[in-house]
């Protein structure tokens, strides 16, 4: 490694060492930033590098293989980070299949995309839609069941932030932090063209990183009320708001305000 | 009309290339390839460093779900910061560990400490375990230098460094556990990490800014 340029201020040295080992609270972080601003250039990562090498040196082996489900989640994250769009999640009509139906719902199956996050939450296989009466409750039924049976469930009405197109929005978000289960019910917003834009849900949780949690993409058809399960990519331990944006097909890893504003929000008062 | 969402089975994951030995040359270019937008390199990165990142995260959180969240955030942070990797500053493996550590420390701080001093029972054990390829303990040059520094440091410094960096106790927890003043603990950590970093630059001249 190249030689290190150390800060000459011992206070800076200590704050950097603290940051590399236990992190800094907001006051200490502000103090560090203020000191850095008045210091000559030095290697701000030197203590972090040292701590990382020490941890590697103390690890008793090559490490533990990550769970397969985690690997799948990471691959899905990587797809979106790399900008590979998932196929749109289309909303199928909620009509129970007739017992004599012989043709599988090929059109629905053909339009469904790589939604590992949603499948993991709902656990519903494609076979449910093929010439069989539904073995699982509908999304609307699951929403109602959550409202009826879970403690501490939030029910937050939508409010338009962009009123010109979304002023007529109706519906709400139902969310259970304990179960990490929730549902969006939306009506009165413009349909999207899935080849151009998709709606994306964001979950604002101040206990997590500054970026909101990606809650997935969905389409809204030309008419009707949409009820969609929420399955956050990461655990939402203390959500305070749910917001929608319009993004490129497949969604984005982080919302860029330059791409458009928040459209609607459902928030804890 | 009520519309119902539909779901699919998860997409098959990328082929696991863990059985294929990745050469040093290939490995050292992974982060650069990710920074250049190479999707395949992201899977190779998971193959190469997945166990490392998972181990760092799993050890930091008692709850497996929290550890999985941390691992996801760690890889996202790694991909976002891939263009910052500089092999003159750290090896790729060290850079990955550094990013993972930062996310873990940040998440622990936000969610409350996941490890308590009572969880750590290693005070009576040596701070550093010697190389033993028979049980998978095989360190590269950087790590061997770090170990040498810790061994030369002796206790309580080496133990303080281990409790802080590896066992993730707060400085206050360490001070209470070892019955030392907090300032003493912080000084040992600061000087110990500085000594480790200095030894990694042996052969070059460091300076104070």
């Amino acid at each position: 490694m190249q030689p290190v340029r150390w800060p000459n201020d011992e206070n800076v040295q200590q704050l950097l060492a603290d940051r590399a080992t236990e992190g800094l609270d907001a006051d200490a972080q502000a103090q560090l930033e203020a000191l850095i601003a008045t210091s000559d250039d030095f290697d701000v990562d030197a203590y972090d590098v040292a701590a990382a090498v020490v941890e590697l040196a103390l690890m008793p082996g090559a490490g533990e293989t990550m769970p397969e489900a985690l690997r799948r989640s990471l691959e899905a994250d990587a797809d979106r980070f790399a900008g590979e769009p998932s196929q749109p999640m289309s909303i199928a009509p909620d009509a129970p299949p007739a017992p004599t139906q012989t043709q599988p719902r090929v059109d629905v199956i053909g339009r469904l995309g790589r939604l590992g996050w949603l499948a993991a939450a709902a656990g519903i296989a494609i076979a449910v839609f093929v010439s069989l009466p539904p073995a699982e409750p509908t999304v609307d039924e699951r929403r109602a069941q959550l409202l009826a049976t879970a403690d501490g469930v939030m029910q937050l009405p939508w409010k338009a932030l962009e009123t010109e197109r979304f002023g007529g929005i109706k519906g709400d978000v139902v969310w259970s932090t304990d179960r990490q289960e929730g549902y969006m019910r939306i009506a009165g917003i413009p349909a999207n063209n899935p080849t151009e834009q998709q709606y994306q849900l964001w979950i604002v949780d101040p206990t997590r990183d500054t970026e909101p949690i990606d809650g997935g993409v969905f389409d809204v058809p030309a008419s009707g009320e949409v009820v969609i399960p929420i399955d956050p990519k990461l655990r939402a331990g203390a959500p305070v708001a749910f917001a929608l944006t319009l993004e490129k097909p497949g969604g984005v890893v982080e919302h860029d305000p330059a791409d458009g504003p928040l459209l609607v929000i459902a928030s804890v008062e | 009309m009520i519309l119902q969402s539909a779901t699919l089975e998860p997409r098959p994951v990328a082929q696991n290339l863990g059985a294929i030995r990745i050469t040093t040359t290939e490995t050292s270019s992974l982060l650069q390839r990710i920074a250049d937008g190479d999707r395949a390199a992201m899977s190779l990165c998971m193959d190469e460093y997945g166990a490392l990142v998972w181990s760092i995260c799993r050890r930091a959180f008692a709850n497996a779900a929290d550890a999985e969240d941390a691992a996801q955030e760690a890889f996202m942070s790694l991909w976002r910061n891939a263009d910052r990797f500089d092999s003159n500053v750290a090896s790729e493996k060290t850079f990955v560990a550094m990013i993972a550590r930062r996310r873990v420390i940040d998440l622990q701080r936000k969610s409350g400490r996941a490890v308590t001093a009572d969880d750590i029972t290693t005070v009576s054990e040596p701070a550093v375990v010697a190389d033993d390829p028979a049980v998978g303990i095989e360190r590269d040059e950087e790590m061997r230098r770090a170990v040498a520094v810790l061994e030369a440091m002796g206790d309580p410094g080496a133990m303080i460094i281990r409790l802080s960096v590896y066992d993730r106790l707060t400085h206050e927890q360490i001070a209470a556990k070892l019955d030392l003043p907090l300032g003493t603990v912080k000084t040992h950590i600061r000087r110990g990490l500085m000594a480790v970093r200095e030894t990694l630059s042996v052969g070059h001249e460091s300076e104070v800014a």
Side-chain angles (χ1 to χ4, degrees):
Chain A
M1 288 185 192
Q2 67 188 18
V4 182
R5 286 176 59 81
W6 296 105
N8 58 2
D9 185 331
E10 201 168 280
N11 289 330
V12 176
Q13 293 177 11
Q14 190 59 62
L15 285 169
L16 289 174
D18 289 352
R19 188 187 70 172
T21 50
E22 65 173 10
L24 298 175
D25 61 24
D27 287 343
Q29 180 65 37
Q31 183 186 6
L32 175 62
E33 289 170 7
L35 288 171
I36 289 175
T38 58
S39 300
D40 292 331
D41 285 344
F42 56 84
D43 292 325
V44 294
D45 293 336
Y47 291 94
D48 299 89
V49 169
V53 172
V54 167
E55 176 150 15
L56 289 171
L58 295 177
M59 286 179 68
E64 184 185 333
T65 303
M66 75 168 76
E68 193 58 34
L70 173 59
R71 177 61 187 254
R72 284 198 295 270
S73 296
L74 289 173
E75 292 287 354
D77 290 344
D79 283 342
R80 284 196 282 193
F81 188 88
E84 294 182 18
S86 299
Q87 296 188 22
M89 177 182 77
S90 63
I91 310 301
D94 183 24
T100 57
Q101 182 176 343
T102 56
Q103 183 178 0
R105 301 187 181 195
V106 174
D107 57 333
V108 171
I109 294 172
R111 291 181 63 198
L112 292 173
R114 299 170 303 181
L115 298 167
W117 56 271
L118 194 54
I124 298 177
I126 297 176
V128 170
F129 295 94
V130 181
S131 301
L132 293 172
E136 301 280 348
T138 65
V139 175
D140 207 43
E141 289 168 350
R142 292 186 348 236
R143 174 183 174 280
Q145 190 174 29
L146 182 68
L147 270 170
T149 59
D151 293 330
V153 173
M154 303 180 200
Q155 187 170 9
L156 309 173
W158 290 112
K159 185 176 73 174
L161 297 176
E162 201 247 71
T163 55
E164 184 174 334
R165 291 181 295 163
F166 297 89
I169 189 172
K170 294 181 176 55
D172 54 32
V173 169
V174 169
W175 173 259
S176 165
T177 296
D178 285 346
R179 296 189 186 184
Q180 289 295 295
E181 179 184 351
Y183 302 89
M184 294 183 281
R185 189 179 59 177
I186 307 170
I189 64 174
N192 65 296
N193 180 344
T195 63
E196 293 179 1
Q197 283 183 313
Q198 287 191 284
Y199 285 97
Q200 187 160 2
L201 171 70
W202 303 96
I203 305 172
V204 180
D205 181 352
T207 65
R208 297 202 67 95
D209 202 346
T210 52
E211 291 90 4
I213 302 169
D214 172 13
V217 295
F218 63 96
D219 301 321
V220 173
S223 61
E225 178 180 305
V226 179
V227 182
I228 301 171
I230 299 170
D231 188 17
K233 181 167 66 66
L234 300 174
R235 177 177 173 79
V240 298
F242 300 79
L244 298 183
T245 59
L246 274 169
E247 308 289 353
K248 65 180 183 180
V252 294
V253 174
E254 293 179 24
H255 174 66
D256 184 350
D259 291 334
L262 298 182
L263 304 171
V264 298
I265 194 166
S267 59
V268 175
E269 296 297 328
Chain B
M1 176 173 65
I2 305 295
L3 301 181
Q4 180 177 346
S5 67
T7 59
L8 263 188
E9 290 299 324
R11 183 177 70 95
V13 299
Q15 181 184 2
N16 190 331
L17 302 177
I20 299 175
R21 177 68 181 155
I22 298 176
T23 66
T24 302
T25 303
E26 267 194 76
T27 305
S28 62
S29 69
L30 273 179
L31 290 178
Q32 180 58 51
R33 288 170 59 187
I34 291 172
D36 290 340
D38 184 342
R39 171 63 181 90
M42 299 168 84
S43 292
L44 291 175
C45 183
M46 291 181 230
D47 289 335
E48 184 70 8
Y49 301 118
L52 167 61
V53 171
W54 175 239
S55 294
I56 289 174
C57 296
R58 191 65 187 95
R59 196 157 21 83
F61 294 97
N63 182 302
D66 291 339
E68 291 185 16
D69 288 350
Q72 280 191 269
E73 292 208 18
F75 270 102
M76 289 295 292
S77 184
L78 183 63
W79 297 330
R80 279 195 292 265
N81 290 285
D83 60 343
R84 289 185 52 214
F85 170 64
D86 181 348
S87 59
N88 290 318
V89 174
S91 69
E92 189 172 80
K93 187 175 185 179
T94 297
F95 184 84
V96 171
M98 186 178 75
I99 295 292
R101 281 182 50 83
R102 280 185 173 168
R103 296 313 305 138
V104 161
I105 289 170
D106 192 39
L107 287 170
Q108 281 185 317
R109 176 164 278 279
K110 286 179 180 176
S111 66
R113 285 283 159 184
V115 175
T116 69
D118 291 337
D119 294 332
I120 307 305
T121 58
T122 57
V123 176
S124 60
E125 296 173 8
V128 181
V129 177
D131 271 11
D132 188 352
V135 295
I137 303 177
E138 202 164 357
R139 300 182 175 103
D140 63 19
E141 178 61 22
E142 281 183 359
M143 297 180 223
R144 277 196 286 273
R145 291 189 183 188
V147 167
V149 167
L150 294 176
E151 288 176 337
M153 198 184 298
D155 288 335
M159 182 55 66
I160 290 171
I161 295 281
R162 179 195 171 95
L163 290 174
S164 174
V165 171
Y166 187 75
D167 295 316
R168 300 196 195 289
L169 296 189
T170 66
H171 300 172
E172 283 191 7
Q173 288 173 325
I174 297 169
K177 195 170 190 68
L178 300 182
D179 194 24
L180 291 171
L182 177 60
T184 300
V185 169
K186 285 183 175 291
T187 299
H188 274 294
I189 290 172
R190 174 169 54 84
R191 290 179 178 170
L193 292 181
M194 186 180 271
V196 167
R197 182 61 184 87
E198 277 292 319
T199 198
L200 300 175
S201 306
V202 167
H204 303 273
E205 296 253 344
S206 288
E207 60 186 87
V208 174

